[in-house]
Amino acid sequence: MSNKVEESSITIDSGIVECYYHFSVERIKAHYPNERLIFITDENVYKSHAEIFPVGDTIIFPAGEENKNLETVGRVIDELHEIDAGRNDRIIGVGGGVVTDLSGFVASIYLRGLKFSFAPTSVLAMVDAAIGGKNGVDSGQIKNQIGVIRQPDALFFDFTLLRSLPSEEWVSGFGEIIKHACIKDAEMFHYLENHRLEDLGNNPGAFARLVQKNVNIKLNVVAQDELETNARRILNFGHTLAHAIETLNKLPHGLAVSVGIVFACKVSERLTGFDPKKTEKIVDLLQQYHLPVSAGFDKEAAWNLVSFDKKKSGDSIYFVVLEDIGKGVIKKISLENLKDLFFEI
Ligand code: GLY
């Protein structure tokens, strides 16, 4: 990382979590000098970065969404018990979204809750999964069905860890970045139009600023409505369909979100009069960042998952649509209405 000016810059965002940018995992140990730190990570992150983890106080679980379940939670809890983890110890979740979800959940329930912080290691975790406090696991086919909302104390961003990130994971992260641009930030949308993933990936300073912008967008929304009673629902743009096809097609999250964004744009055209030319601009931007804009999937099976969605409220669902690029709005629509659109689009 060449950007010395920004090294160790610290911002306290929104009062709900401290963010430390350009902060190595090594330095986390010095940041908490009086606490025992227990690191939780997955096999992939551990294989790529074994040297950053302390011997003894590191718990490693098998990588992959298929392991984000209660069985893995049980195993991690058994290991915490074996190493005698106590009420005053701190969990540090180091990894992508599966690690932050699972370690944040474990930290929230083990001994009724330990302190915890995250060091996200994927683009997706840096701009989305590590932020917001919703941490949990899947149950059968239902993503994130079991979980809590509890904020980490701090997020540590070490951009050097991204060096080992596979290219599909970079692409996946931009699914959430483009989502943020669509719902909240037309200026960032134009910025992304004028850049390419390859350039941003090779420009650490520019990439760090982009991550920071996205962290702030998400934290500002979460700070308004931590428990998702209203404003926070905006972050679900593209996610109603995304969660279903992520499960059915085993697509990485950001790629599924991309397909979900296109569907949500078409629903927006019908519900808010969103300009179809702007849908085209969004499709072009998603493709520019190598994201898929369609996917073949079993519509009946997908609808069964959509209609079981957590965003459902009785016979209605909160669905996020666009009025303009940079202006998302939350609409409560009947499941019947959405079903018609779902099978028509
Ligand atoms: N952990 C992701 C969120 O809270 O939205």
Side-chain angles (χ1 to χ4, degrees):
M1 186 65 45
S2 60
N3 197 330
K4 295 282 181 217
V5 182
E6 294 194 358
E7 197 168 314
S8 309
S9 71
I10 298 171
T11 52
I12 313 289
D13 288 287
S14 310
I16 60 168
V17 59
E18 295 178 4
C19 295
Y20 296 82
Y21 293 94
H22 304 280
F23 205 97
S24 70
V25 171
E26 207 29 63
R27 286 182 57 196
I28 297 175
K29 296 164 200 160
H31 187 75
Y32 296 116
N34 302 319
E35 292 177 39
R36 177 184 176 199
L37 305 183
I38 298 167
F39 288 75
I40 298 182
T41 190
D42 70 20
E43 281 170 353
N44 286 350
V45 175
Y46 189 78
K47 257 183 231 147
S48 302
H49 307 287
E51 71 289 350
I52 64 177
F53 294 99
V55 178
D57 280 348
T58 298
I59 295 174
I60 306 156
F61 67 88
E65 186 75 29
E66 65 277 17
N67 293 304
K68 200 181 92 175
N69 53 34
L70 284 178
E71 200 184 323
T72 308
V73 168
R75 287 207 203 124
V76 172
I77 285 177
D78 287 347
E79 286 200 46
L80 285 169
H81 178 70
E82 274 163 32
I83 62 173
D84 204 20
R87 291 296 319 271
N88 294 322
D89 300 339
R90 174 181 293 278
I91 302 282
I92 309 284
V94 182
V98 172
V99 172
T100 56
D101 275 6
L102 192 135
S103 62
F105 181 56
V106 166
S108 302
I109 60 172
Y110 178 72
L111 300 181
R112 297 198 183 86
L114 304 190
K115 294 164 285 187
F116 68 105
S117 304
F118 291 146
T121 63
S122 69
V123 178
L124 189 99
M126 286 184 180
V127 299
D128 183 46
I131 309 160
K134 282 191 201 169
N135 296 307
V137 294
D138 306 336
S139 171
Q141 284 211 308
I142 314 294
K143 268 187 67 69
N144 304 328
Q145 196 187 25
I146 300 158
V148 293
I149 299 184
R150 189 163 173 261
Q151 302 301 330
D153 294 320
L155 301 173
F156 299 99
F157 296 86
D158 179 354
F159 298 106
T160 63
L161 298 177
L162 293 173
R163 282 186 196 132
S164 59
L165 196 68
S167 55
E168 193 181 51
E169 293 286 318
W170 275 90
V171 171
S172 183
F174 275 81
E176 290 288 352
I177 290 174
I178 294 173
K179 178 200 82 178
H180 285 154
C182 288
I183 55 171
K184 285 283 175 197
D185 197 333
E187 204 182 297
M188 182 165 79
F189 191 93
H190 296 311
Y191 174 86
L192 292 167
E193 283 184 310
N194 291 325
H195 290 78
R196 291 171 347 118
L197 193 154
E198 294 73 11
D199 305 331
L200 290 167
N202 289 321
N203 184 337
F207 184 70
R209 284 190 291 279
L210 183 65
V211 168
Q212 198 160 351
K213 196 180 257 289
N214 279 274
V215 170
N216 289 340
I217 289 173
K218 180 149 184 188
L219 279 179
N220 284 334
V221 173
V222 173
Q224 282 170 50
D225 176 25
E226 192 180 353
L227 301 183
E228 197 169 304
T229 56
N230 190 21
R232 186 173 173 163
R233 292 194 176 107
I234 200 80
L235 297 169
N236 294 327
F237 180 60
H239 281 60
T240 305
L241 178 60
H243 279 163
I245 56 176
E246 189 176 348
T247 302
L248 294 174
N249 292 20
K250 306 277 175 261
L251 270 187
H253 181 69
L255 277 62
V257 167
S258 176
V259 177
I261 286 174
V262 178
F263 172 67
C265 286
K266 293 187 176 155
V267 174
S268 306
E269 289 173 15
R270 284 149 174 94
L271 297 187
T272 67
F274 183 62
D275 183 350
K277 288 203 178 69
K278 293 187 177 166
T279 298
E280 278 170 34
K281 269 166 90 74
I282 292 173
V283 166
D284 288 348
L285 186 66
L286 293 166
Q287 287 180 323
Q288 184 176 323
Y289 283 82
H290 314 298
L291 284 154
V293 292
S294 63
F297 56 90
D298 177 341
K299 276 211 157 179
E300 286 290 344
W303 177 253
N304 284 340
L305 290 171
V306 167
S307 55
F308 201 77
D309 200 286
K310 295 188 295 308
K311 296 174 275 301
K312 201 174 75 165
S313 156
D315 289 339
S316 301
I317 194 163
Y318 292 100
F319 195 89
V320 182
V321 287
L322 299 181
E323 284 182 349
D324 202 349
I325 290 175
K327 185 156 191 267
V329 288
I330 303 154
K331 292 258 186 229
K332 190 172 181 181
I333 58 173
S334 72
L335 274 175
E336 213 181 318
N337 191 359
L338 185 64
K339 188 175 184 185
D340 290 343
L341 292 168
F342 186 78
F343 284 96
E344 178 196 320
I345 287 172

